[in-house]
């Protein structure tokens, strides 16, 4: 046993961080699995890596740095070879003047510091870091930035791809950025070339976050690699292309939509990571209020009619519809869907992918579907008069139809259907209800704290000073990427086509009048749903204010259009 291990054991025992029994178990584990004391203690869950690092910092009299609180410069990987970094578990953290500071697992390792000094050709200093943070940092940084790599094996393999030589740095970089996207639950990856650098951004919980990525010199190779995975034309760089592929990360299979677009600085790439069936939630987990859940359950039991879900792109409409389908899905029902693209797959469902280039549009597919004896039909999006007409006819002839529209709120769906020249009596006869929704970010439960609401926000929501003390915000921590938010939930409103609402539709009533009538009948608007969720500490009032602002702008635009007409 090394002297440092002896000192570490004594320190952990004296500080009460581990027991004698835990140490003995760790020693036996280390002998059996041929690992050192630190890895053995972590593997046997006797203590976490951070506490070990703090104890070692005291022994070594070295400063401790929490890497989760620090943005390491990946460009420094050029100073120390990957083989040295991995062998000695060190990372070139930052360089000030002529001194390079190394993040190390063992700051007393003089051989490691001497090796780093020779390659960096400058003086070196050291700080102690948690081994569990240091190893992933080394792996990610070198895989994304090294022009020559020693990667042995890739975690990410595209379906249908021959086994490539994964020692190539470009393959390693692509694998790493895809794996990172899955790990941080990103919905999109943006690879944006600028004049002097390559920018890498991930959309997490609806917000783009810039991360350190590969150097600009790797841009062309990364695009080529992604094109190979998506079966795109490698020779074409001057026109947009779209493709898709599936890759495996650990035990998970993730579908990706890829879009390329030529810009003055090179091809811009956006990757959309698509969820799969195992992430389908129930209404409660989506954030649907209990009263609305009950009302939706009743509507879903109707044998025919149309339920519309409205909102902008990316607001979770597909997730809501598939939550409904999951509830309805059973062998006794024939459920058919028309989508562009098919994002979630479920057993029993007959799912159709739109292919406009061969004439398989929403309208043509819908005509064919009604001859397939369906009980439930999902129309991914009503985009034109033809699709709208066929969908409403299907809802009138014994089918339960689920569909989406792009409108700002539930009452606005009536105006959109009128835009498709549908008669009022058809709308009234077919439509059962309209659900409108938006997504807001959930507060991170690890760093939630009381929020201070300014006077402008307080007056906007009609809150008194006491009410304003009920709200919370996220301070920011490593678990949420220092954003204060982790995950998203929906804000909803439900417009049911009651007799008074149908009368207004028949009379050509405006969206504003329909909304006012619905509110009198008990419809709770999205911002009110958000206010309630903010009071419960599920989201922040600032997130709700964004939705409220959108609704106010939409009201102003509708009023201006009505006046001009």
């Amino acid at each position: 046993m090394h002297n440092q291990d002896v000192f570490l054991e004594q320190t952990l025992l004296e500080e009460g961080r581990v027991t004698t029994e835990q140490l003995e178990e760790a020693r036996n584990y280390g002998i059996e699995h041929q690992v050192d004391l630190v890895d053995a203690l972590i593997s046997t869950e006797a203590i976490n890596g951070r506490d070990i690092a703090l104890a070692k910092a005291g022994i070594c009299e070295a400063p401790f740095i929490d890497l989760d609180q620090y943005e390491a410069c990946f460009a420094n990987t050029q100073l120390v070879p990957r083989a040295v970094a991995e062998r000695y578990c060190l990372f070139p953290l930052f360089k000030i003047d002529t001194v390079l500071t190394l993040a190390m697992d063992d700051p007393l390792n003089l051989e490691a510091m001497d090796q780093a000094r020779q390659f960096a050709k400058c003086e070196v200093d050291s700080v102690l870091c948690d081994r569990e943070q240091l190893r992933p940092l080394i792996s990610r940084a070198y895989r994304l930035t090294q022009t020559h790599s020693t990667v042995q094996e890739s975690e990410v393999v595209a379906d249908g791809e021959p086994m490539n030589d994964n020692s190539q740095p470009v393959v390693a970089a692509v694998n790493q950025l895809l794996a990172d996207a899955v790990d941080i639950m990103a919905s999109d990856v943006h690879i944006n070339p600028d004049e002097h650098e390559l920018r890498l951004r991930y959309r997490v919980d609806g917000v783009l976050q810039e991360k350190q990525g590969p150097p600009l010199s790797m841009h062309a190779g990364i695009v080529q690699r992604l094109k190979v995975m998506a079966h795109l034309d490698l020779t074409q760089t001057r026109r947009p292309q779209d493709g898709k592929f599936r890759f495996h990360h650990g035990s998970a299979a993730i579908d990706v939509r890829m879009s390329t677009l030529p810009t003055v600085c090179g091809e811009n790439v956006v990757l959309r990571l698509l969820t799969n069936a195992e992430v389908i939630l129930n209404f409660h987990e989506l954030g649907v209020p209990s009263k609305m859940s009950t009302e939706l359950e009743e509507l879903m039991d109707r044998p025919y009619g149309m339920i519309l879900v409205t909102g902008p792109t990316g607001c979770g409409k597909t997730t809501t519809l598939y939550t409904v389908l999951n509830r309805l899905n059973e062998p006794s029902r024939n459920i058919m869907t028309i989508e562009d693209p098919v994002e979630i797959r479920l057993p029993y469902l007959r799912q159709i992918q739109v292919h406009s280039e061969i004439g398989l549009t929403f309208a043509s597919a819908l005509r064919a579907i009604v001859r397939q004896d369906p009980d439930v039909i999902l129309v991914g999006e009503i985009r034109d008069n033809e699709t709208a007409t066929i969908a409403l006819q299907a809802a009138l002839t014994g089918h339960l139809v689920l569909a989406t529209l792009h409108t700002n709120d539930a009452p606005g769906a009536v105006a959109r259907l009128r835009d498709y020249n549908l008669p009022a009596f058809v709308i009234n006869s077919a439509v059962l209800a309209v659900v409108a929704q938006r997504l807001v970010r959930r507060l991170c439960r690890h760093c939630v704290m009381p929020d201070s609401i300014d006077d402008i926000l307080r007056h906007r929501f009609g809150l008194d000073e006491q009410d304003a003390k009920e709200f919370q915000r996220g301070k920011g921590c490593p678990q949420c990427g220092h954003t204060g938010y982790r995950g998203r939930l929906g804000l909803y409103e439900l417009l049911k086509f009651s007799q008074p609402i149908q009368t207004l539709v028949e009379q050509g009533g405006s969206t504003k009048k329909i909304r006012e009538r619905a509110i009198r009948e008990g419809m709770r608007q999205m911002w009110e749903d958000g206010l309630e969720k903010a009071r419960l500490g599920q989201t922040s009032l600032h997130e709700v204010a964004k939705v409220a602002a959108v609704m106010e702008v939409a009201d102003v635009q509708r009023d201006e259009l009505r006046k001009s007409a």
Side-chain angles (χ1 to χ4, degrees):
M1 183 181 291
H2 297 295
N3 288 336
Q4 191 179 131
D5 286 350
V6 174
F7 288 134
L8 179 59
E9 286 189 3
Q10 291 175 350
T11 301
L12 295 176
L13 282 172
E14 289 171 0
E15 294 179 357
R17 296 179 184 270
V18 297
T19 64
T20 304
E21 291 76 14
Q22 288 174 321
L23 271 179
E24 185 62 30
E25 182 185 359
R27 290 194 201 102
N28 294 333
Y29 182 94
I31 294 170
E32 181 182 351
H33 294 85
Q34 295 295 301
V35 296
D36 66 9
L37 178 64
V38 173
D39 283 339
L41 286 167
I42 293 172
S43 297
T44 57
E45 299 182 349
I47 188 173
N48 60 49
R50 178 186 173 86
D51 287 341
I52 293 176
L54 288 170
K56 289 174 66 176
I59 297 170
C60 301
E61 296 183 349
F64 169 77
I65 282 185
D66 184 351
L67 290 175
D68 280 338
Q69 307 291 338
Y70 193 89
E71 187 71 21
C73 180
F74 286 8
N76 288 340
T77 55
Q78 303 302 315
L79 300 174
V80 179
R82 178 172 184 168
V84 172
E86 290 182 333
R87 179 180 178 184
Y88 297 108
C89 197
L90 62 82
F91 185 83
L93 203 56
F94 56 83
K95 185 177 181 181
I96 299 178
D97 296 329
T98 60
V99 179
L100 175 65
T101 297
L102 303 171
M104 300 183 69
D105 171 58
D106 181 9
L108 297 182
N109 191 329
L110 300 182
E111 180 184 349
M113 295 182 70
D114 186 55
Q115 287 278 311
R117 183 183 297 110
Q118 291 182 41
F119 282 106
K121 295 180 173 61
C122 66
E123 288 302 311
V124 296
D125 196 3
S126 63
V127 294
L128 192 144
C129 297
D130 179 356
R131 184 184 295 185
E132 290 186 293
Q133 295 177 338
L134 194 50
R135 282 173 174 167
L137 171 62
I138 294 169
S139 176
R140 180 172 188 269
Y142 280 93
R143 294 184 82 183
L144 284 176
T145 60
Q146 283 280 296
T147 55
H148 298 285
S149 176
T150 58
V151 177
Q152 298 299 318
E153 184 178 359
S154 169
E155 294 179 348
V156 181
V157 180
D159 279 6
E161 280 296 301
M163 291 301 293
N164 288 275
D165 178 8
N166 286 329
S167 66
Q168 297 179 27
V170 167
V171 174
V174 170
N175 292 344
Q176 186 65 56
L177 67 88
L178 288 172
D180 287 346
V182 176
D183 290 340
I184 65 175
M185 297 189 293
S187 60
D188 302 85
V189 180
H190 291 241
I191 304 171
N192 311 135
D194 278 349
E195 189 173 358
H196 301 295
E197 65 180 305
L198 181 61
R199 300 190 183 278
L200 178 64
R201 296 185 292 174
Y202 296 94
R203 188 175 295 280
V204 181
D205 297 334
V207 178
L208 281 175
Q209 301 177 4
E210 187 166 9
K211 302 289 184 181
Q212 293 193 64
L216 185 59
S217 60
M218 295 182 71
H219 172 249
I222 287 172
V223 174
Q224 289 286 89
R225 168 60 182 163
L226 288 168
K227 283 183 175 180
V228 169
M229 295 172 73
H231 305 288
L232 300 181
D233 186 349
L234 301 181
T235 64
Q236 183 55 257
T237 62
R238 294 185 294 178
R239 71 179 185 190
Q241 294 191 71
D242 294 306
K244 60 184 178 180
F245 61 90
R246 172 178 288 188
F247 73 90
H248 293 269
H249 177 54
S251 60
I254 295 94
D255 291 314
V256 178
R257 285 205 326 248
M258 175 178 170
S259 171
T260 70
L261 184 70
T263 71
V264 292
C265 294
E267 287 186 277
N268 198 74
V269 177
V270 176
L271 307 173
R272 166 64 60 88
L273 278 65
L274 304 178
T275 58
N276 216 321
E278 63 266 17
V279 298
I280 293 180
L281 308 175
N282 57 42
F283 286 138
H284 175 71
E285 291 169 319
L286 290 178
V288 179
S290 56
K291 181 174 182 292
M292 186 183 296
S293 297
T294 302
E295 293 172 327
L296 281 174
E297 294 277 354
E298 293 173 354
L299 291 169
M300 288 157 51
D301 289 335
R302 301 280 187 91
Y304 62 88
M306 175 181 283
I307 300 174
L308 287 168
V309 180
T310 75
T313 301
C315 73
K317 298 189 296 294
T318 300
T319 302
T320 299
L321 286 174
Y322 266 86
T323 302
V324 174
L325 288 184
N326 196 43
R327 153 74 167 73
L328 296 172
N329 192 20
E330 55 187 42
S332 63
R333 285 194 178 96
N334 182 21
I335 301 177
M336 308 197 72
T337 78
I338 317 162
E339 303 169 75
D340 185 20
V342 176
E343 297 184 16
I344 302 173
R345 302 176 189 181
L346 285 178
Y348 291 115
L349 269 62
R350 303 298 87 202
Q351 297 169 286
I352 300 169
Q353 169 75 54
V354 168
H355 289 290
S356 301
E357 60 274 10
I358 62 171
L360 185 59
T361 63
F362 279 105
S364 62
L366 191 51
R367 285 197 203 93
I369 276 180
V370 295
R371 295 191 292 272
Q372 290 276 313
D373 186 32
D375 297 298
V376 180
I377 301 172
L378 184 149
V379 183
E381 183 182 347
I382 294 179
R383 297 177 178 175
D384 51 49
N385 172 270
E386 188 177 13
T387 306
T389 301
I390 301 171
L392 266 72
Q393 287 175 348
L396 289 171
T397 55
H399 308 94
L400 181 62
V401 179
L402 311 173
T404 73
L405 276 178
H406 283 153
T407 65
N408 287 304
D409 57 11
V414 176
R416 180 56 53 87
L417 292 175
R418 286 173 180 159
D419 290 341
Y420 294 137
N421 299 317
L422 294 170
F425 75 89
V426 173
I427 297 173
N428 279 337
S429 301
V431 179
L432 301 174
V434 181
V435 177
Q437 67 180 74
R438 291 285 194 287
L439 290 178
V440 294
R441 292 181 290 174
R442 287 182 185 269
L443 288 175
C444 173
R445 304 316 306 169
H446 297 282
C447 60
V448 68
M449 61 180 293
D451 194 6
S452 57
I453 306 300
D454 59 50
D455 289 340
I456 295 176
L457 207 55
R458 185 165 58 83
H459 290 306
R460 184 176 183 185
F461 285 97
L463 305 172
D464 58 33
E465 293 186 4
Q466 187 61 36
D467 287 336
K469 296 178 181 179
E470 298 179 1
F471 300 95
Q472 296 179 314
R473 67 181 180 88
K475 182 181 180 181
C477 66
Q479 282 78 7
C480 62
H482 304 284
T483 64
Y485 299 95
R486 185 68 169 169
R488 292 192 287 179
L489 77 159
L491 306 186
Y492 301 88
E493 64 183 26
L494 175 65
L495 171 66
K496 294 192 295 184
F497 271 54
S498 62
Q499 186 59 53
I501 296 296
Q502 290 180 337
T503 300
L504 273 176
V505 173
E506 187 70 34
Q507 295 172 349
S510 66
T511 298
K512 184 177 180 180
K513 288 183 177 179
I514 292 173
R515 184 193 303 108
E516 290 172 348
R517 180 67 200 190
I519 292 172
R520 286 200 299 272
E521 292 187 356
M523 183 186 81
R524 187 165 68 165
Q525 299 179 87
M526 271 187 285
W527 70 266
E528 293 176 296
D529 184 32
L531 184 60
E532 177 65 21
K533 286 167 179 167
R535 289 184 190 277
L536 295 173
Q538 297 175 352
T539 187
S540 71
L541 195 59
H542 299 274
E543 283 289 294
V544 180
K546 296 176 185 178
V547 174
V550 170
M551 308 311 295
E552 290 169 5
V553 170
D555 286 344
V556 171
Q557 291 174 340
R558 278 193 294 266
D559 290 342
E560 290 177 350
L561 286 171
R562 187 171 64 251
K563 289 176 182 176
S564 63

